[in-house]
Amino acid sequence: MALPFTIVIPTYNEAGGIEKLLRTLGEEFRANGLDGEIVVVDDNSPDGTGAIVDRLSHELPVKCLHRPGKMGLSSGVIDGWKAARPESLALGAMDADFSHDVGVLPKMVAALESGKYGLAVGSRYVPGGGIANWPKRRIVTSRIACWLARPLTGVKDVTSGYLLVRRDALDGITLDPIGFKIGLEVIVKGKYGKVLEVPYTFTDRIVGESKLNQNEIFNYLKQLRKLYLGRLRHAGAP
């Protein structure tokens, strides 16, 4: 029996590519017999992204959660998970810009279906993974970001943002990310047992603008600090 799951896609001004992504995901579900639901969380995009999703909801397994303004990627993922259908046993997240390879999603689902893993992460930094068209500066920044989190987890690509986790692994967990690194919160705090990193090649967005800027780098460092302090407090608890 196929594992029912929900993939959340946060959006802000993604009208240029969201229909193509949703149709591609729908075809991936059909071709592989996946029991998937898509929840798009739109932050009141002025370009009409939410309206496109509403239109497609009549023919694809997708619904749109409309938020009143730009509230951030990580909170969008969390709100999307809260809105997931009750029967979904796994919750996931991916970007709206085709940077995450839809074709590896069946492998992520299969990892959780096997019962051996409670978390699957799309990974650029395991054998078979890679980055297609980033400038060297961004690759170095990403590598350093992952290295800084190494004492917290053995996962090599903590900044991926492409993940699927068993829903019960988040029971009783408070996710409080800063910025857009929701994956780091799940990886460090989740009660998922074993994790599988599934290799994929990251392709930078073609349509729209990148969300990465100096402020997000600062937010990532603040998030790391919170996680390290939390780990220290837990270690020192009686």
Side-chain angles (χ1 to χ4, degrees):
M1 184 175 178
L3 176 80
F5 66 93
T6 296
I7 288 286
V8 172
I9 305 174
T11 57
Y12 184 76
N13 285 348
E14 299 288 355
I18 192 64
E19 179 166 356
K20 182 180 178 183
L21 176 62
L22 295 178
R23 290 193 181 279
T24 302
L25 275 169
E27 180 55 37
E28 198 72 30
F29 291 175
R30 288 190 293 271
N32 293 277
L34 302 181
D35 184 4
E37 173 197 40
I38 309 163
V39 177
V40 173
V41 181
D42 186 66
D43 279 0
N44 197 26
S45 298
D47 69 353
T49 300
I52 295 172
V53 179
D54 286 338
R55 171 172 55 83
L56 293 172
S57 67
H58 300 293
E59 54 180 300
L60 295 171
V62 61
K63 63 184 177 183
C64 187
L65 177 62
H66 296 269
R67 301 203 297 178
K70 198 171 182 181
M71 301 167 67
L73 186 148
S74 289
S75 69
V77 172
I78 293 171
D79 283 352
W81 286 348
K82 290 177 181 176
R85 58 184 177 169
E87 60 266 35
S88 283
L89 299 179
L91 303 172
M94 69 185 304
D95 288 349
D97 57 11
F98 267 102
S99 57
H100 294 150
D101 180 5
V102 172
V104 305
L105 185 58
K107 297 178 183 177
M108 297 167 71
V109 174
L112 270 60
E113 281 182 334
S114 73
K116 297 179 182 178
Y117 304 96
L119 171 66
V121 176
S123 180
R124 300 161 292 182
Y125 301 137
V126 294
I131 297 172
N133 56 350
W134 262 6
K136 186 175 182 180
R137 175 183 59 83
R138 283 197 67 179
I139 294 175
V140 170
T141 300
S142 176
R143 287 285 195 175
I144 291 173
C146 292
W147 178 80
L148 289 172
R150 189 58 55 84
L152 293 169
T153 173
V155 174
K156 293 181 173 60
D157 194 354
V158 297
T159 64
S160 165
Y162 189 14
L163 63 111
L164 189 68
V165 63
R166 287 199 62 86
R167 195 173 200 159
D168 57 13
L170 303 180
D171 288 347
I173 300 296
T174 300
L175 297 174
D176 185 28
I178 302 170
F180 61 80
K181 295 306 179 188
I182 183 67
L184 178 62
E185 287 278 310
V186 172
I187 290 166
V188 174
K189 294 181 177 179
K191 300 175 181 178
Y192 47 79
K194 292 182 67 177
V195 55
L196 178 68
E197 291 192 71
V198 181
Y200 81 103
T201 299
F202 178 95
T203 304
D204 204 7
R205 66 163 56 239
I206 298 173
V207 177
E209 297 181 359
S210 172
K211 306 295 190 294
L212 181 66
N213 53 41
Q214 293 295 324
N215 188 52
E216 289 302 338
I217 293 172
F218 180 65
N219 283 338
Y220 177 74
L221 295 175
K222 286 171 61 179
Q223 185 181 0
L224 271 180
R225 181 176 182 272
K226 281 180 60 179
L227 290 170
Y228 274 111
L229 289 174
R231 180 67 60 85
L232 288 172
R233 284 194 294 268
H234 180 74

